Amino acid sequence: MTTAEKYVTAAYLVVLAVILLYVVIYAFKIGRLEREVSELAERAANRDGGAPPRRSSMLRS
Amino acid sequence: MSTSLRNNAAVAVALAAAVLLLTAIALALYWAPNDADQGFSQRIFYIHVPVALTAYACFGWGAWKALRLLWTREARYDLESYTAVHMGVIFGVLTLVTGSIWARISWGVWWSWSERQLVLFLILFLFYSAYFMLRYSTDPGPRRARMSAVYALFGVVLIPISFLAIRLAENFIHPVVFTRDGPQMAGSMFFVFCMSLAGTLALAAALYLNELAGKRLDERLRELREALA
């Protein structure tokens, strides 16, 4: 691999790495949101004294 | 727009971005001809310039949404403007890093303070990075939304200055590819550039839609939490 090829590869890999990092951060965020939804569903169920709402109905907007 | 329609649009844009970007990278690395002056290293152009133009587009989009907020006072534009600035900063980081790599191989330095184009882009990037400090130093509400909108609008003034700086400079080493006579490159090179630009714009749109959906969900959860408290 020539020096120019190394630099070009590095430039493209940096872009790819940043996109991948963004996806990983976003995956953590989705995980946090899921935990918060479960927590709220549990809290709502405890307040109503009934069973927790079904997942599909919770996610419907 | 309904949630399912928004989700479908986000998936379609993400798929388009993946196809366009992968095709553009393959064409840039294996099909586009070598530049007569810079040789193989010129291929960084196909990622660096589209990423820089996408950063400008994101900042411009953020400013447009900020203007809409100030005009209509609709709260949703605050989140949209914030998300666009967020995307602009991500693409700004990519512009600076890929530009530095290209500078190292072409000019022998990672950065040149004498280049107005580079310094102005850095100022633009730092200006929008400071947007987050301003935003999070104020309590959420209409006041923060208005302040953030005014700040995002001020920043947009730097975009044409940064874009035109290279043409206003007297002594420069940064290459000028797009002149009044059109793009100064072969047709095949211009085709790959357009493909890459479409790919990065689609990628920014996909990230914007996903990030916006996540932030909206965050807001709704906060409201729910308050309602259940």
Side-chain angles (χ1 to χ4, degrees), chain B residues 55-56 59 85-86 88-96 111 113 117-135 151-152 154-156 158-159 162:
Chain B
Y56 288 139
F59 291 138
V85 171
H86 185 171
V89 168
I90 292 174
F91 280 90
V93 170
L94 288 175
T95 305
L96 291 170
W111 185 263
W113 288 106
Q117 169 89 351
L118 306 191
V119 176
L120 275 168
F121 190 86
L122 183 66
I123 291 171
L124 179 73
F125 171 76
L126 292 175
F127 182 90
Y128 275 109
S129 299
Y131 170 92
F132 300 98
M133 282 187 263
L134 172 85
R135 194 175 171 86
Y151 193 89
F154 270 126
V156 85
L158 289 167
I159 296 175
S162 169

Side-chain angles (χ1 to χ4, degrees), chain B residues 141-214:
Chain B
R143 187 169 164 266
R144 181 175 86 170
R146 280 197 305 274
M147 274 171 64
S148 303
V150 170
Y151 193 89
L153 263 178
F154 270 126
V156 85
V157 177
L158 289 167
I159 296 175
I161 297 173
S162 169
F163 196 75
L164 293 171
I166 191 162
R167 281 143 189 94
L168 302 172
E170 285 155 10
N171 301 312
F172 54 81
I173 47 175
H174 193 289
V176 182
V177 178
F178 298 98
T179 64
R180 282 181 190 157
D181 305 323
Q184 303 300 302
M185 62 180 111
S188 56
M189 288 172 152
F190 187 59
F191 173 73
V192 178
F193 167 75
C194 289
M195 183 77 103
S196 189
L197 180 61
T200 48
L201 285 172
L203 175 68
L207 296 180
Y208 170 81
L209 290 172
N210 278 306
E211 188 71 41
L212 192 59

Side-chain angles (χ1 to χ4, degrees), chain A residues 3-5 7-8 10-12 14-15 18-19 22 26 29 32-33 36-37 39-40 43-44 47 61, chain B residues 3 28-29 40-41 43 46-47 94 97-98 101 104-105 203 207 210-211 214 217-218 220-221 225 227-228:
Chain A
T3 312
E5 284 170 348
Y7 277 99
V8 172
Y12 281 85
V14 162
V15 175
V18 170
I19 295 168
Y22 177 86
Y26 207 79
K29 185 177 178 172
R32 178 178 60 80
L33 290 175
E36 282 183 24
V37 167
E39 192 190 304
L40 283 175
R43 210 187 291 173
R47 207 166 84 153
S61 57
Chain B
T3 308
L29 296 178
F40 192 83
S41 66
R43 286 163 203 264
Y46 301 112
I47 196 75
L94 288 175
V97 174
T98 54
I101 295 171
R104 183 75 180 87
I105 186 75
L203 175 68
L207 296 180
N210 278 306
E211 188 71 41
L217 198 57
D218 233 353
R220 288 185 65 188
L221 277 173
R225 218 179 296 126
L228 284 170

